[in-house]
Amino acid sequence: FEDAVNAGTPLSAVAEAFEELSALVKSGGVHFDLSLKPFCDACSLVSVLFGCLGIAFKFAQYEYVSKVRDLDEASEIYGTLNNILDCDVENDTVKSPGSLSRNLRRVRQGLDLIRALFQNFLSTDDCSLKDAASTAYAKVCAPYHTWAVRTAVSAGMYSLPTREQLLERLNETGESAEREMRRYIDASRPVIDYIDKLYISRHIILDW
Ligand code: 1PZ
């Protein structure tokens, strides 16, 4: 009954999409070849969360959405995540600005950022969104962003909504949000690990 009540929220849609993705990845064995299409579909859902953050994060939304779109547009030609890596390795463009392998790496960092943010958000009842987001950003993304981006992000943090505003905008209660965030935290892990292995198995060190 509770699930039915919560069925239509953006957060539950994100959780469900990542559970499906994670089930695919987990069922596939070591040589599983994840298709770009379902991956990009799930990643696109995440962008609804940006709508709750206010205009200061429009740039982050644009950055994230355009990278997911590039990957999505490549899905028919490349088919799978593995093929993207193979092609960029061959052309020595894995880390080149705008390359699909680089975009995939950035999208993966976005997914991990949300995971860390949810984890911080749930760790205590009185953790503000600003604190949860700042800590998550510092750990997951800041080491790989330029000084200018880090400065803009830390200024933007002050404009984030409060905990209560966020829940309201997401159409969640404290309890329902906790449930959906936990679903995402659990489901995103295998997907993030899968993406990391695409690079590691090709001897690409993930320090960028
Ligand atoms: C409720 C959620 C609150 C989350 C608040 C945290 C917001 C963090 C904002 C990060 C802004 C990043 C802006 C630009 C970054 C670019 O420099 C990099 C590098 O791009 P490249 O040089 O490789 O082309 N771009 C990215 O890392 C793309 C993804 C960044 C955004 C991910 C955020 C996703 C999570 C938001 C959740 C709603």
PDB file of all heavy atoms in Angstrom, residues 5 14 22-24 29 35-36 70 81 94 103 106 122 138 161 172 177 182 187 202:
ATOM      1  N   VAL A   5       1.204   4.357  -2.835  1.00  0.00           N
ATOM      2  CA  VAL A   5       1.065   5.774  -2.523  1.00  0.00           C
ATOM      3  C   VAL A   5       2.266   6.545  -3.054  1.00  0.00           C
ATOM      4  O   VAL A   5       2.152   7.643  -3.580  1.00  0.00           O
ATOM      5  CB  VAL A   5       0.943   5.995  -0.986  1.00  0.00           C
ATOM      6  CG1 VAL A   5       1.115   7.463  -0.645  1.00  0.00           C
ATOM      7  CG2 VAL A   5      -0.394   5.483  -0.490  1.00  0.00           C
ATOM      8  N   VAL A  14      13.621   7.057  -9.936  1.00  0.00           N
ATOM      9  CA  VAL A  14      15.078   6.912  -9.990  1.00  0.00           C
ATOM     10  C   VAL A  14      15.493   5.603  -9.322  1.00  0.00           C
ATOM     11  O   VAL A  14      16.274   4.818  -9.883  1.00  0.00           O
ATOM     12  CB  VAL A  14      15.785   8.108  -9.305  1.00  0.00           C
ATOM     13  CG1 VAL A  14      17.275   7.855  -9.167  1.00  0.00           C
ATOM     14  CG2 VAL A  14      15.528   9.399 -10.082  1.00  0.00           C
ATOM     15  N   SER A  22      20.825  -2.400 -11.846  1.00  0.00           N
ATOM     16  CA  SER A  22      21.678  -3.157 -10.943  1.00  0.00           C
ATOM     17  C   SER A  22      21.381  -4.661 -11.047  1.00  0.00           C
ATOM     18  O   SER A  22      22.300  -5.491 -11.010  1.00  0.00           O
ATOM     19  CB  SER A  22      21.483  -2.597  -9.539  1.00  0.00           C
ATOM     20  OG  SER A  22      21.488  -3.568  -8.586  1.00  0.00           O
ATOM     21  N   ALA A  23      20.115  -5.008 -11.243  1.00  0.00           N
ATOM     22  CA  ALA A  23      19.758  -6.422 -11.434  1.00  0.00           C
ATOM     23  C   ALA A  23      20.388  -6.959 -12.725  1.00  0.00           C
ATOM     24  O   ALA A  23      20.913  -8.074 -12.750  1.00  0.00           O
ATOM     25  CB  ALA A  23      18.244  -6.582 -11.483  1.00  0.00           C
ATOM     26  N   LEU A  24      20.375  -6.145 -13.774  1.00  0.00           N
ATOM     27  CA  LEU A  24      21.006  -6.528 -15.038  1.00  0.00           C
ATOM     28  C   LEU A  24      22.484  -6.794 -14.832  1.00  0.00           C
ATOM     29  O   LEU A  24      23.019  -7.827 -15.237  1.00  0.00           O
ATOM     30  CB  LEU A  24      20.890  -5.382 -16.052  1.00  0.00           C
ATOM     31  CG  LEU A  24      19.700  -5.280 -17.002  1.00  0.00           C
ATOM     32  CD1 LEU A  24      19.865  -4.053 -17.892  1.00  0.00           C
ATOM     33  CD2 LEU A  24      19.587  -6.538 -17.833  1.00  0.00           C
ATOM     34  N   GLY A  29      27.224 -11.652 -14.842  1.00  0.00           N
ATOM     35  CA  GLY A  29      28.547 -12.274 -14.762  1.00  0.00           C
ATOM     36  C   GLY A  29      29.667 -11.315 -15.125  1.00  0.00           C
ATOM     37  O   GLY A  29      29.407 -10.160 -15.470  1.00  0.00           O
ATOM     38  N   SER A  35      24.240  -2.404 -22.074  1.00  0.00           N
ATOM     39  CA  SER A  35      23.852  -1.556 -23.199  1.00  0.00           C
ATOM     40  C   SER A  35      23.733  -0.101 -22.758  1.00  0.00           C
ATOM     41  O   SER A  35      23.318   0.196 -21.640  1.00  0.00           O
ATOM     42  CB  SER A  35      22.510  -2.009 -23.768  1.00  0.00           C
ATOM     43  OG  SER A  35      22.646  -3.267 -24.362  1.00  0.00           O
ATOM     44  N   LEU A  36      24.093   0.792 -23.668  1.00  0.00           N
ATOM     45  CA  LEU A  36      24.023   2.223 -23.368  1.00  0.00           C
ATOM     46  C   LEU A  36      22.592   2.696 -23.132  1.00  0.00           C
ATOM     47  O   LEU A  36      22.353   3.572 -22.298  1.00  0.00           O
ATOM     48  CB  LEU A  36      24.620   3.014 -24.534  1.00  0.00           C
ATOM     49  CG  LEU A  36      26.127   3.197 -24.502  1.00  0.00           C
ATOM     50  CD1 LEU A  36      26.625   3.541 -25.889  1.00  0.00           C
ATOM     51  CD2 LEU A  36      26.518   4.295 -23.510  1.00  0.00           C
ATOM     52  N   ASP A  70      24.991  13.049 -24.926  1.00  0.00           N
ATOM     53  CA  ASP A  70      26.045  12.579 -25.841  1.00  0.00           C
ATOM     54  C   ASP A  70      26.125  11.051 -25.841  1.00  0.00           C
ATOM     55  O   ASP A  70      26.252  10.427 -26.902  1.00  0.00           O
ATOM     56  CB  ASP A  70      27.414  13.127 -25.421  1.00  0.00           C
ATOM     57  CG  ASP A  70      27.578  14.591 -25.816  1.00  0.00           C
ATOM     58  OD1 ASP A  70      26.675  15.127 -26.494  1.00  0.00           O
ATOM     59  OD2 ASP A  70      28.610  15.186 -25.437  1.00  0.00           O
ATOM     60  N   LEU A  81      28.554   0.035 -23.314  1.00  0.00           N
ATOM     61  CA  LEU A  81      29.574   0.813 -22.619  1.00  0.00           C
ATOM     62  C   LEU A  81      30.976   0.317 -22.975  1.00  0.00           C
ATOM     63  O   LEU A  81      31.897   1.114 -23.176  1.00  0.00           O
ATOM     64  CB  LEU A  81      29.352   0.751 -21.091  1.00  0.00           C
ATOM     65  CG  LEU A  81      28.346   1.753 -20.493  1.00  0.00           C
ATOM     66  CD1 LEU A  81      26.943   1.556 -21.050  1.00  0.00           C
ATOM     67  CD2 LEU A  81      28.311   1.663 -18.977  1.00  0.00           C
ATOM     68  N   VAL A  94      40.652   8.412 -24.398  1.00  0.00           N
ATOM     69  CA  VAL A  94      39.872   8.110 -23.186  1.00  0.00           C
ATOM     70  C   VAL A  94      39.655   9.356 -22.328  1.00  0.00           C
ATOM     71  O   VAL A  94      38.554   9.611 -21.844  1.00  0.00           O
ATOM     72  CB  VAL A  94      40.568   6.996 -22.362  1.00  0.00           C
ATOM     73  CG1 VAL A  94      39.902   6.821 -20.999  1.00  0.00           C
ATOM     74  CG2 VAL A  94      40.525   5.674 -23.130  1.00  0.00           C
ATOM     75  N   ASN A 103      33.050  11.456 -20.833  1.00  0.00           N
ATOM     76  CA  ASN A 103      31.686  11.776 -20.410  1.00  0.00           C
ATOM     77  C   ASN A 103      31.122  10.699 -19.482  1.00  0.00           C
ATOM     78  O   ASN A 103      30.460  11.003 -18.486  1.00  0.00           O
ATOM     79  CB  ASN A 103      30.772  11.937 -21.623  1.00  0.00           C
ATOM     80  CG  ASN A 103      31.059  13.223 -22.383  1.00  0.00           C
ATOM     81  OD1 ASN A 103      31.837  14.056 -21.936  1.00  0.00           O
ATOM     82  ND2 ASN A 103      30.437  13.383 -23.533  1.00  0.00           N
ATOM     83  N   ARG A 106      32.457  11.136 -16.074  1.00  0.00           N
ATOM     84  CA  ARG A 106      31.822  12.266 -15.378  1.00  0.00           C
ATOM     85  C   ARG A 106      30.411  11.931 -14.925  1.00  0.00           C
ATOM     86  O   ARG A 106      29.998  12.301 -13.829  1.00  0.00           O
ATOM     87  CB  ARG A 106      31.769  13.498 -16.285  1.00  0.00           C
ATOM     88  CG  ARG A 106      33.113  14.048 -16.711  1.00  0.00           C
ATOM     89  CD  ARG A 106      33.967  14.441 -15.543  1.00  0.00           C
ATOM     90  NE  ARG A 106      35.298  14.870 -15.967  1.00  0.00           N
ATOM     91  CZ  ARG A 106      36.417  14.569 -15.334  1.00  0.00           C
ATOM     92  NH1 ARG A 106      36.371  13.851 -14.224  1.00  0.00           N
ATOM     93  NH2 ARG A 106      37.576  14.997 -15.779  1.00  0.00           N
ATOM     94  N   LEU A 122      20.905  10.893   5.116  1.00  0.00           N
ATOM     95  CA  LEU A 122      20.226   9.930   5.988  1.00  0.00           C
ATOM     96  C   LEU A 122      21.004   9.641   7.265  1.00  0.00           C
ATOM     97  O   LEU A 122      20.472   9.024   8.181  1.00  0.00           O
ATOM     98  CB  LEU A 122      19.995   8.610   5.245  1.00  0.00           C
ATOM     99  CG  LEU A 122      19.070   8.675   4.030  1.00  0.00           C
ATOM    100  CD1 LEU A 122      18.933   7.294   3.398  1.00  0.00           C
ATOM    101  CD2 LEU A 122      17.705   9.233   4.397  1.00  0.00           C
ATOM    102  N   ALA A 138      32.800  17.424  -1.840  1.00  0.00           N
ATOM    103  CA  ALA A 138      34.224  17.495  -1.492  1.00  0.00           C
ATOM    104  C   ALA A 138      34.907  16.146  -1.695  1.00  0.00           C
ATOM    105  O   ALA A 138      36.048  16.074  -2.151  1.00  0.00           O
ATOM    106  CB  ALA A 138      34.393  17.959  -0.046  1.00  0.00           C
ATOM    107  N   PRO A 161      18.037  24.487  -1.129  1.00  0.00           N
ATOM    108  CA  PRO A 161      16.872  24.513  -0.241  1.00  0.00           C
ATOM    109  C   PRO A 161      17.180  23.826   1.094  1.00  0.00           C
ATOM    110  O   PRO A 161      18.200  23.143   1.221  1.00  0.00           O
ATOM    111  CB  PRO A 161      15.825  23.721  -1.032  1.00  0.00           C
ATOM    112  CG  PRO A 161      16.577  22.911  -2.020  1.00  0.00           C
ATOM    113  CD  PRO A 161      17.816  23.676  -2.335  1.00  0.00           C
ATOM    114  N   GLU A 172       7.948  13.977  -1.041  1.00  0.00           N
ATOM    115  CA  GLU A 172       8.258  12.871  -0.138  1.00  0.00           C
ATOM    116  C   GLU A 172       8.066  13.309   1.312  1.00  0.00           C
ATOM    117  O   GLU A 172       8.149  14.497   1.615  1.00  0.00           O
ATOM    118  CB  GLU A 172       9.730  12.435  -0.293  1.00  0.00           C
ATOM    119  CG  GLU A 172      10.174  11.982  -1.669  1.00  0.00           C
ATOM    120  CD  GLU A 172       9.678  10.589  -2.046  1.00  0.00           C
ATOM    121  OE1 GLU A 172       9.141   9.865  -1.189  1.00  0.00           O
ATOM    122  OE2 GLU A 172       9.820  10.235  -3.234  1.00  0.00           O
ATOM    123  N   ALA A 177      11.200   9.331   1.781  1.00  0.00           N
ATOM    124  CA  ALA A 177      12.481   9.722   1.176  1.00  0.00           C
ATOM    125  C   ALA A 177      13.588   8.783   1.642  1.00  0.00           C
ATOM    126  O   ALA A 177      14.438   8.369   0.850  1.00  0.00           O
ATOM    127  CB  ALA A 177      12.827  11.161   1.534  1.00  0.00           C
ATOM    128  N   ARG A 182      17.552   4.976   0.207  1.00  0.00           N
ATOM    129  CA  ARG A 182      18.265   3.714   0.494  1.00  0.00           C
ATOM    130  C   ARG A 182      18.237   2.778  -0.703  1.00  0.00           C
ATOM    131  O   ARG A 182      19.207   2.089  -0.996  1.00  0.00           O
ATOM    132  CB  ARG A 182      17.662   3.001   1.713  1.00  0.00           C
ATOM    133  CG  ARG A 182      18.042   3.666   2.992  1.00  0.00           C
ATOM    134  CD  ARG A 182      18.076   2.774   4.214  1.00  0.00           C
ATOM    135  NE  ARG A 182      18.199   3.612   5.394  1.00  0.00           N
ATOM    136  CZ  ARG A 182      19.309   4.253   5.756  1.00  0.00           C
ATOM    137  NH1 ARG A 182      20.419   4.101   5.035  1.00  0.00           N
ATOM    138  NH2 ARG A 182      19.325   5.039   6.812  1.00  0.00           N
ATOM    139  N   ALA A 187      21.256   0.259  -4.975  1.00  0.00           N
ATOM    140  CA  ALA A 187      21.208  -0.141  -6.379  1.00  0.00           C
ATOM    141  C   ALA A 187      22.304   0.514  -7.219  1.00  0.00           C
ATOM    142  O   ALA A 187      22.784  -0.071  -8.183  1.00  0.00           O
ATOM    143  CB  ALA A 187      19.831   0.178  -6.966  1.00  0.00           C
ATOM    144  N   ARG A 202      41.138  -2.100 -18.238  1.00  0.00           N
ATOM    145  CA  ARG A 202      41.976  -1.649 -19.363  1.00  0.00           C
ATOM    146  C   ARG A 202      43.200  -0.877 -18.861  1.00  0.00           C
ATOM    147  O   ARG A 202      43.824  -0.118 -19.594  1.00  0.00           O
ATOM    148  CB  ARG A 202      41.141  -0.780 -20.311  1.00  0.00           C
ATOM    149  CG  ARG A 202      40.074  -1.567 -21.062  1.00  0.00           C
ATOM    150  CD  ARG A 202      39.105  -0.665 -21.804  1.00  0.00           C
ATOM    151  NE  ARG A 202      38.169  -1.422 -22.626  1.00  0.00           N
ATOM    152  CZ  ARG A 202      37.026  -1.956 -22.196  1.00  0.00           C
ATOM    153  NH1 ARG A 202      36.672  -1.819 -20.920  1.00  0.00           N
ATOM    154  NH2 ARG A 202      36.240  -2.635 -22.997  1.00  0.00           N
TER     155      ARG A 202
END
